[in-house]
Amino acid sequence: MSKAIPSRRVISVVGARPNFMKVAPLHKAFQKYPSIVHRIVHTGQHYDANMSKIFFDDLELPHPDVYLGIGSGSHAVQTAKIMVEFEKIVLAEKPDMVVVVGDVNSTVACSLVCSKLLIPVAHVEAGLRSFDRAMPEEINRIITDSIADLLFVSERSGLSNLRTEGIPDSKIFFVGNVMIDSLIDFKDKAGRSTIRKTIGVEGKQYAIVTLHRPSNVDVRENLASILTMLEKISKRHAVIFPVHPRTRKMIGEFKLVEKLRLNTNIILCDPLGYLDFLCLLESASLAITDSGGIQEESTYLGIPCFTMRENTERPVTVSEGTNTLMGFDYEKSAIEAEAAFQGKHKKGHIPEFWDGKTAERIVKIIEEKLLLN
Ligand code: UD1
């Protein structure tokens, strides 16, 4: 008679927009293991429908099993509130493992809770470092990696960073980029989106812009220079700018709305869902961004990307991909944008293991570890 394998409970945490496309392929991969009960806890760090719910629909993710409804706040308030509420869930559900992704406040808050309760933590997208401690995400990455039990790495730089920090090799797994799993999964569906027609750019060349980092949008001079850069580009090409809530707030506070109001070639819209955004990115001549994920997605798609930051925690997108760090040089960016529109940009190639199978590799390793415990 074969002995029944007891079921294991795994909780994956999502909180903010960049988390959803990382947990979707993991959730799918967990379904192939009947011995694992996989639950999703949403902290509610992002809560607007277009920053959260639409991603569940687009990515065919089930509703979260638990919604903590934390909302916005200072870093301390947000992190502390997530810890208080997530601890209750962990105590009630007693998971065998908790999976956290990326580098947002929800990632570090939930990792801290688990490490104090001796619940193993798996960190997906471990080892990335910008070496810029002014970025809240860098602090989140360092702390999460220092207490995680399994560290899943998306690019080779992550391996050397973790080794330098003294993390033993036995905890580190180079598995590739789980966000690219979602991109590969949903590329065809995104291609059927009608967004290009809806916003009037079908058959046209355009740049797609996303900006939300405090270094770009919370400093009036920088935000004003960014809008001037977009004005310059828009003289010859359409510019699509889905505006993040933080950026919208700062454009209002700094009274910069007038710079945009009369320019019909700068198409402002609310944040877009996953499929519409992917559809627009795939046909863009240029992406201008300070996001981490878009540096990777544009590298995969071969779209030139200008990153409006002085550093990146994803160096493979520069060394092998289509990404260029533009720092805060908005004038140079406006000039170089024209070259990108003419097809004169670095071509790059797809980094190792960005092959759509990362979630399968991760879940297989998690299952093996759970069987050992
Ligand atoms: C967070 C992450 C960042 C990630 C980004 C993606 C941290 C430290 N930062 O930054 O790494 O790249 O998400 O978007 O975790 N707001 C809304 N509705 C929402 C969410 C936010 O209006 O659904 C507004 C609130 O005014 C809030 C502000 O946006 O204060 C910023 O939100 P917050 O979650 O604090 O940080 P993000 O800038 O979104």
Side-chain angles (χ1 to χ4, degrees):
M1 215 169 64
S2 66
K3 236 167 87 183
I5 302 169
S7 68
R8 307 289 170 143
R9 286 183 296 274
V10 175
I11 290 178
S12 289
V13 175
V14 292
R17 184 168 64 175
N19 296 158
F20 307 124
M21 52 293 260
K22 294 168 193 164
V23 167
L26 292 169
H27 180 72
K28 206 163 141 191
F30 274 119
Q31 303 317 302
K32 294 189 185 151
Y33 292 85
S35 63
I36 299 179
V37 179
H38 181 240
R39 312 232 308 149
I40 297 173
V41 173
H42 187 340
T43 64
Q45 178 176 344
H46 283 174
Y47 44 87
D48 285 357
N50 56 18
M51 297 291 285
S52 173
K53 184 177 180 308
I54 192 168
F55 289 85
F56 282 80
D57 300 340
D58 280 3
L59 294 159
E60 298 164 20
L61 260 171
H63 286 297
D65 297 283
V66 180
Y67 184 73
L68 301 179
I70 300 302
S72 300
S74 70
H75 285 271
V77 166
Q78 194 175 56
T79 309
K81 276 184 170 174
I82 296 169
M83 288 183 69
V84 170
E85 294 308 316
F86 189 64
E87 185 181 53
K88 293 177 194 164
I89 304 301
V90 173
L91 288 171
E93 304 225 350
K94 300 186 178 57
D96 296 288
M97 185 168 293
V98 167
V99 178
V100 295
V101 298
D103 55 16
V104 302
N105 286 344
S106 301
T107 312
V108 71
C110 296
S111 305
L112 273 167
V113 166
C114 292
S115 71
K116 299 285 178 82
L117 295 174
L118 305 181
I119 306 287
V121 173
H123 184 206
V124 174
E125 209 181 80
L128 297 179
R129 296 290 180 270
S130 65
F131 304 102
D132 174 3
R133 291 201 179 192
M135 281 180 83
E137 293 82 1
E138 183 75 351
I139 310 297
N140 294 345
R141 293 180 201 116
I142 293 168
I143 294 174
T144 303
D145 285 343
S146 70
I147 55 182
D149 301 274
L150 299 177
L151 296 100
F152 294 109
V153 172
S154 56
E155 63 167 83
R156 281 198 183 273
S157 72
L159 291 176
S160 46
N161 292 336
L162 293 175
R163 284 175 187 146
T164 306
E165 288 172 24
I167 313 267
D169 276 352
S170 57
K171 291 183 173 184
I172 307 173
F173 303 87
F174 179 32
V175 287
N177 191 324
V178 79
M179 200 188 59
I180 300 300
D181 288 9
S182 275
L183 193 160
I184 292 171
D185 245 7
F186 289 99
K187 202 163 160 285
D188 287 349
K189 197 171 169 193
R192 295 193 290 276
S193 156
T194 54
I195 185 77
R196 282 178 294 217
K197 196 164 176 205
T198 310
I199 63 174
V201 295
E202 209 167 32
K204 283 192 192 169
Q205 279 200 305
Y206 58 85
I208 183 137
V209 180
T210 78
L211 295 156
H212 71 281
R213 299 259 168 229
S215 53
N216 280 319
V217 306
D218 288 5
V219 181
R220 189 182 194 283
E221 195 193 332
N222 289 356
L223 187 53
S225 304
I226 286 173
L227 300 184
T228 305
M229 167 183 83
L230 300 185
E231 277 177 324
K232 286 182 186 162
I233 298 172
S234 74
K235 292 208 167 94
R236 306 183 79 166
H237 307 284
V239 173
I240 306 170
F241 187 6
V243 189
H244 185 282
R246 173 194 282 276
T247 311
R248 181 171 296 276
K249 191 170 111 199
M250 298 318 290
I251 289 174
E253 258 177 46
F254 293 147
K255 304 204 175 4
L256 292 168
V257 181
E258 287 309 318
K259 282 180 89 65
L260 299 164
R261 210 198 291 277
L262 299 173
N263 189 334
T264 51
N265 230 13
I266 300 183
I267 302 161
L268 297 176
C269 57
D270 285 332
L272 295 166
Y274 184 72
L275 297 173
D276 284 345
F277 187 81
L278 184 52
C279 175
L280 287 173
L281 181 61
E282 208 185 345
S283 300
S285 299
L286 173 66
I288 300 176
T289 193
D290 57 13
S291 142
I294 294 166
Q295 296 172 52
E296 298 181 329
E297 288 165 336
S298 54
T299 273
Y300 184 86
L301 294 169
I303 307 292
C305 177
F306 289 181
T307 295
M308 307 314 294
R309 288 173 45 190
E310 289 177 312
N311 51 55
T312 178
E313 60 289 339
R314 295 161 159 89
V316 77
T317 61
V318 176
S319 60
E320 295 183 28
T322 53
N323 189 20
T324 308
L325 291 181
M326 303 307 286
F328 300 114
D329 198 339
Y330 307 113
E331 271 181 46
K332 182 174 153 217
S333 305
I335 295 164
E336 294 201 359
E338 195 47 45
F341 275 102
Q342 289 167 15
K344 293 179 208 146
H345 59 83
K346 61 177 183 175
K347 303 295 181 242
H349 62 263
I350 297 172
E352 203 176 351
F353 284 154
W354 292 20
D355 59 0
K357 296 187 169 61
T358 297
E360 282 173 24
R361 288 191 276 270
I362 291 172
V363 172
K364 187 164 184 285
I365 294 165
I366 289 179
E367 196 241 9
E368 285 164 7
K369 295 286 169 192
L370 289 173
L371 284 178
L372 291 177
N373 292 330

